[in-house]
Amino acid sequence: DVKVTQSSRYLVKRTGEKVFLECVQDMDHENMFWYRQDPGLGLRLIYFSYDVKMKEKGDIPEGYSVSREKKERFSLILESASTNQTSMYLCASMSSGNSNQPQHFGDGTRLSIL
Amino acid sequence: AQSVTQLGSHVSVSEGALVLLRCNYSSSVPPYLFWYVQYPNQGLQLLLKYTTGATLVKGINGFEAEFKKSETSFHLTKPSAHMSDAAEYFCAVSEGYGNKLVFGAGTILRVKS
Protein backbone atom coordinates (compact mmCIF):
# COMPACT_ATOMS: atom_id res chain seq x y z
CA ASP A 1 0.00 0.00 0.00
CA VAL A 2 1.07 3.55 -0.71
CA LYS A 3 1.99 5.45 2.40
CA VAL A 4 1.92 9.24 2.43
CA THR A 5 3.07 10.66 5.74
CA GLN A 6 2.60 14.23 6.87
CA SER A 7 4.90 15.20 9.69
CA SER A 8 2.33 16.87 11.94
CA ARG A 9 -1.38 16.26 12.48
CA TYR A 10 -1.92 19.52 14.35
CA LEU A 11 0.20 22.66 14.31
CA VAL A 12 -0.24 26.06 15.95
CA LYS A 13 1.87 28.99 14.80
CA ARG A 14 1.87 32.75 15.13
CA THR A 15 1.27 35.41 12.53
CA GLY A 16 4.43 36.28 10.64
CA GLU A 17 6.22 33.01 11.37
CA LYS A 18 7.78 30.94 8.61
CA VAL A 19 6.03 27.56 8.64
CA PHE A 20 7.17 24.29 7.11
CA LEU A 21 4.82 21.40 6.38
CA GLU A 22 6.53 18.17 5.42
CA CYS A 23 5.26 15.27 3.34
CA VAL A 24 6.97 11.97 2.56
CA GLN A 25 5.79 9.16 0.29
CA ASP A 26 7.22 5.68 0.06
CA MET A 27 6.16 4.54 -3.41
CA ASP A 28 8.70 6.30 -5.61
CA HIS A 29 5.96 8.44 -7.14
CA GLU A 30 7.01 11.21 -9.49
CA ASN A 31 4.05 13.48 -8.81
CA MET A 32 3.28 15.17 -5.52
CA PHE A 33 0.63 17.73 -4.59
CA TRP A 34 -0.30 20.15 -1.83
CA TYR A 35 -3.94 21.09 -1.25
CA ARG A 36 -5.75 23.12 1.31
CA GLN A 37 -9.22 22.06 2.41
CA ASP A 38 -11.81 24.53 3.71
CA PRO A 39 -15.46 23.82 4.53
CA GLY A 40 -17.71 24.31 1.54
CA LEU A 41 -14.79 24.82 -0.84
CA GLY A 42 -13.52 21.27 -1.23
CA LEU A 43 -9.84 20.83 -1.97
CA ARG A 44 -7.90 23.55 -3.74
CA LEU A 45 -4.52 22.92 -5.29
CA ILE A 46 -1.69 25.08 -3.99
CA TYR A 47 1.38 23.63 -5.75
CA PHE A 48 2.41 20.40 -7.40
CA SER A 49 5.61 18.80 -8.57
CA TYR A 50 6.32 16.40 -11.42
CA ASP A 51 9.87 15.58 -10.44
CA VAL A 52 12.73 16.51 -8.17
CA LYS A 53 13.36 20.25 -8.20
CA MET A 54 10.34 20.77 -10.45
CA LYS A 55 7.32 22.72 -9.25
CA GLU A 56 4.21 24.21 -10.75
CA LYS A 57 1.72 26.67 -9.32
CA GLY A 58 -1.75 25.42 -8.64
CA ASP A 59 -4.89 27.49 -8.25
CA ILE A 60 -4.02 29.32 -5.02
CA PRO A 61 -0.21 29.66 -4.73
CA GLU A 62 -0.13 33.14 -3.19
CA GLY A 63 1.62 33.20 0.16
CA TYR A 64 3.10 29.72 -0.29
CA SER A 65 6.20 28.15 -1.74
CA VAL A 66 7.40 24.54 -2.06
CA SER A 67 10.57 22.56 -2.10
CA ARG A 68 11.32 19.17 -3.62
CA GLU A 69 14.97 18.27 -3.12
CA LYS A 70 14.37 14.52 -2.97
CA LYS A 71 11.84 12.45 -4.84
CA GLU A 72 10.09 11.18 -1.74
CA ARG A 73 9.76 14.51 0.06
CA PHE A 74 7.65 17.56 -0.79
CA SER A 75 7.61 20.51 1.56
CA LEU A 76 5.10 23.34 1.74
CA ILE A 77 6.37 26.65 3.09
CA LEU A 78 4.32 29.53 4.40
CA GLU A 79 6.76 32.41 4.04
CA SER A 80 5.01 34.68 6.55
CA ALA A 81 1.99 33.01 8.08
CA SER A 82 -1.28 34.89 8.23
CA THR A 83 -4.57 34.07 9.93
CA ASN A 84 -6.29 33.41 6.59
CA GLN A 85 -3.94 30.48 6.11
CA THR A 86 -5.57 28.63 8.99
CA SER A 87 -6.80 25.48 7.29
CA MET A 88 -6.41 21.75 6.76
CA TYR A 89 -3.49 20.95 4.46
CA LEU A 90 -3.39 17.69 2.53
CA CYS A 91 -0.48 16.18 0.67
CA ALA A 92 -0.92 13.61 -2.11
CA SER A 93 1.27 11.57 -4.41
CA MET A 94 0.65 9.80 -7.70
CA SER A 95 2.60 7.77 -10.20
CA SER A 96 3.42 9.45 -13.48
CA GLY A 97 1.92 8.84 -16.87
CA ASN A 98 -1.75 8.48 -17.54
CA SER A 99 -3.95 10.73 -15.46
CA ASN A 100 -6.35 7.88 -14.75
CA GLN A 101 -4.19 6.89 -11.82
CA PRO A 102 -5.56 7.88 -8.39
CA GLN A 103 -3.85 10.26 -6.02
CA HIS A 104 -2.93 8.90 -2.60
CA PHE A 105 -3.42 11.21 0.35
CA GLY A 106 -1.83 11.73 3.73
CA ASP A 107 -3.92 12.24 6.86
CA GLY A 108 -3.60 16.00 6.73
CA THR A 109 -2.15 18.74 8.91
CA ARG A 110 -4.60 21.00 10.69
CA LEU A 111 -2.79 24.34 10.90
CA SER A 112 -3.92 27.19 13.12
CA ILE A 113 -2.35 30.63 12.76
CA LEU A 114 -2.92 32.86 15.80
CA ALA B 1 -11.29 24.73 -17.30
CA GLN B 2 -13.03 21.72 -15.93
CA SER B 3 -15.34 22.00 -12.93
CA VAL B 4 -17.28 19.72 -10.62
CA THR B 5 -20.61 20.41 -8.93
CA GLN B 6 -21.86 18.32 -6.05
CA LEU B 7 -25.52 18.92 -5.39
CA GLY B 8 -26.22 19.10 -1.67
CA SER B 9 -23.54 19.95 0.86
CA HIS B 10 -25.30 17.73 3.43
CA VAL B 11 -27.31 14.56 2.83
CA SER B 12 -29.08 12.64 5.59
CA VAL B 13 -30.39 9.09 5.21
CA SER B 14 -31.67 6.41 7.55
CA GLU B 15 -29.67 3.28 8.15
CA GLY B 16 -30.63 0.75 5.47
CA ALA B 17 -31.89 3.38 3.03
CA LEU B 18 -30.52 4.13 -0.42
CA VAL B 19 -27.59 6.53 -0.60
CA LEU B 20 -27.47 8.86 -3.60
CA LEU B 21 -24.78 11.54 -3.86
CA ARG B 22 -24.88 13.68 -6.97
CA CYS B 23 -21.96 14.86 -9.05
CA ASN B 24 -21.99 16.78 -12.33
CA TYR B 25 -18.89 17.86 -14.21
CA SER B 26 -17.97 20.04 -17.11
CA SER B 27 -15.38 18.88 -19.57
CA SER B 28 -14.61 19.38 -23.22
CA VAL B 29 -12.85 16.05 -23.47
CA PRO B 30 -13.66 12.58 -22.12
CA PRO B 31 -12.89 12.85 -18.44
CA TYR B 32 -11.47 10.57 -15.82
CA LEU B 33 -13.76 10.69 -12.79
CA PHE B 34 -13.15 9.78 -9.17
CA TRP B 35 -15.03 9.52 -5.90
CA TYR B 36 -13.10 9.88 -2.66
CA VAL B 37 -14.27 9.49 0.94
CA GLN B 38 -12.91 11.30 3.97
CA TYR B 39 -13.59 10.00 7.46
CA PRO B 40 -13.18 12.42 10.39
CA ASN B 41 -9.58 13.49 10.98
CA GLN B 42 -8.28 11.46 8.08
CA GLY B 43 -7.08 12.04 4.53
CA LEU B 44 -8.98 11.10 1.40
CA GLN B 45 -9.42 7.49 0.38
CA LEU B 46 -10.30 6.39 -3.14
CA LEU B 47 -13.78 4.83 -3.42
CA LEU B 48 -13.87 4.23 -7.16
CA LYS B 49 -12.85 5.66 -10.51
CA TYR B 50 -14.07 5.77 -14.09
CA THR B 51 -11.54 5.87 -16.90
CA THR B 52 -12.87 4.06 -19.97
CA GLY B 53 -15.05 1.06 -20.73
CA ALA B 54 -18.00 0.01 -18.59
CA THR B 55 -19.96 3.02 -17.42
CA LEU B 56 -21.12 1.39 -14.19
CA VAL B 57 -18.19 1.29 -11.82
CA LYS B 58 -18.08 -0.64 -8.57
CA GLY B 59 -15.96 0.48 -5.67
CA ILE B 60 -15.16 -0.40 -2.11
CA ASN B 61 -17.68 -0.72 0.73
CA GLY B 62 -20.60 -1.50 -1.62
CA PHE B 63 -20.55 1.83 -3.45
CA GLU B 64 -20.98 2.21 -7.19
CA ALA B 65 -21.26 5.07 -9.66
CA GLU B 66 -22.52 5.40 -13.20
CA PHE B 67 -20.92 7.61 -15.82
CA LYS B 68 -23.58 9.25 -17.99
CA LYS B 69 -21.97 11.25 -20.74
CA SER B 70 -25.24 12.75 -22.02
CA GLU B 71 -26.00 14.11 -18.57
CA THR B 72 -22.36 14.89 -17.65
CA SER B 73 -23.02 13.11 -14.38
CA PHE B 74 -21.23 10.61 -12.16
CA HIS B 75 -23.60 10.00 -9.24
CA LEU B 76 -22.56 7.77 -6.35
CA THR B 77 -24.98 5.21 -4.93
CA LYS B 78 -25.18 2.50 -2.30
CA PRO B 79 -28.30 0.35 -1.90
CA SER B 80 -28.29 0.23 1.88
CA ALA B 81 -26.62 2.79 4.13
CA HIS B 82 -24.61 1.74 7.15
CA MET B 83 -23.66 3.87 10.12
CA SER B 84 -20.01 3.51 9.13
CA ASP B 85 -20.74 5.31 5.83
CA ALA B 86 -21.04 8.64 7.65
CA ALA B 87 -18.26 10.74 6.15
CA GLU B 88 -17.57 13.46 3.61
CA TYR B 89 -17.54 12.46 -0.04
CA PHE B 90 -15.72 14.23 -2.84
CA CYS B 91 -16.18 13.90 -6.57
CA ALA B 92 -13.18 14.82 -8.73
CA VAL B 93 -12.33 15.06 -12.41
CA SER B 94 -8.91 14.66 -13.94
CA GLU B 95 -7.76 17.66 -15.88
CA GLY B 96 -6.05 15.91 -18.75
CA TYR B 97 -2.51 14.66 -18.87
CA GLY B 98 -1.39 17.20 -16.32
CA ASN B 99 -2.40 14.76 -13.60
CA LYS B 100 -4.22 17.46 -11.71
CA LEU B 101 -7.56 16.80 -10.08
CA VAL B 102 -10.40 19.28 -9.80
CA PHE B 103 -12.58 18.59 -6.77
CA GLY B 104 -16.17 19.32 -5.96
CA ALA B 105 -17.03 21.09 -2.72
CA GLY B 106 -17.91 17.83 -0.99
CA THR B 107 -21.06 16.27 0.46
CA ILE B 108 -21.32 15.33 4.12
CA LEU B 109 -23.33 12.15 4.54
CA ARG B 110 -25.15 11.62 7.81
CA VAL B 111 -26.66 8.21 8.60
CA LYS B 112 -29.47 8.11 11.15
CA SER B 113 -30.22 5.04 13.24
Side-chain angles (χ1 to χ4, degrees):
Chain A
D1 270 0
V2 177
K3 183 73 173 175
V4 178
T5 302
Q6 295 184 229
S7 54
S8 304
R9 294 298 304 275
Y10 301 93
L11 207 52
V12 180
K13 296 292 182 181
R14 296 207 173 273
T15 305
E17 280 192 69
K18 191 169 186 176
V19 181
F20 294 85
L21 303 183
E22 306 287 346
C23 175
V24 176
Q25 49 96 3
D26 66 356
M27 283 302 292
D28 203 36
H29 284 166
E30 289 78 11
N31 302 310
M32 296 189 74
F33 307 82
W34 274 107
Y35 296 90
R36 67 177 279 174
Q37 180 182 7
D38 299 289
L41 296 178
L43 278 71
R44 293 179 292 167
L45 183 63
I46 305 172
Y47 267 96
F48 59 103
S49 169
Y50 290 130
D51 203 348
V52 176
K53 298 192 185 295
M54 303 282 289
K55 60 184 180 183
E56 296 279 344
K57 291 180 179 179
D59 299 317
I60 52 165
E62 296 78 19
Y64 303 95
S65 63
V66 290
S67 172
R68 189 144 182 225
E69 297 295 320
K70 293 185 178 181
K71 192 174 186 180
E72 68 271 17
R73 185 180 297 271
F74 192 34
S75 302
L76 179 69
I77 304 157
L78 284 65
E79 297 291 344
S80 177
S82 64
T83 55
N84 62 11
Q85 293 178 309
T86 291
S87 186
M88 169 73 95
Y89 289 87
L90 291 164
C91 174
S93 74
M94 175 184 161
S95 62
S96 67
N98 200 312
S99 54
N100 66 4
Q101 295 301 309
Q103 293 185 13
H104 300 268
F105 286 82
D107 284 338
T109 296
R110 192 167 292 281
L111 176 64
S112 295
I113 306 296
L114 305 179
Chain B
Q2 295 179 329
S3 66
V4 176
T5 301
Q6 291 184 238
L7 189 62
S9 59
H10 292 77
V11 170
S12 184
V13 300
S14 298
E15 194 172 19
L18 171 71
V19 176
L20 171 60
L21 305 182
R22 300 179 187 273
C23 173
N24 289 90
Y25 67 91
S26 69
S27 174
S28 58
V29 298
Y32 297 139
L33 295 158
F34 304 82
W35 275 101
Y36 285 85
V37 60
Q38 185 180 35
Y39 298 104
N41 298 316
Q42 293 186 23
L44 274 67
Q45 178 183 355
L46 181 70
L47 269 179
L48 49 80
K49 67 177 183 179
Y50 169 79
T51 55
T52 58
T55 56
L56 183 62
V57 180
K58 294 186 184 299
I60 62 172
N61 301 337
F63 284 93
E64 62 183 35
E66 186 171 10
F67 170 60
K68 292 187 176 180
K69 184 178 178 181
S70 60
E71 298 177 9
T72 60
S73 69
F74 191 56
H75 301 331
L76 182 71
T77 60
K78 182 174 180 178
S80 177
H82 192 272
M83 296 297 288
S84 62
D85 295 326
E88 188 162 16
Y89 292 79
F90 293 93
C91 181
V93 60
S94 177
E95 199 169 68
Y97 192 79
N99 297 327
K100 293 189 293 183
L101 284 176
V102 175
F103 285 86
T107 298
I108 295 173
L109 176 66
R110 178 186 170 216
V111 181
K112 299 175 291 183
S113 59

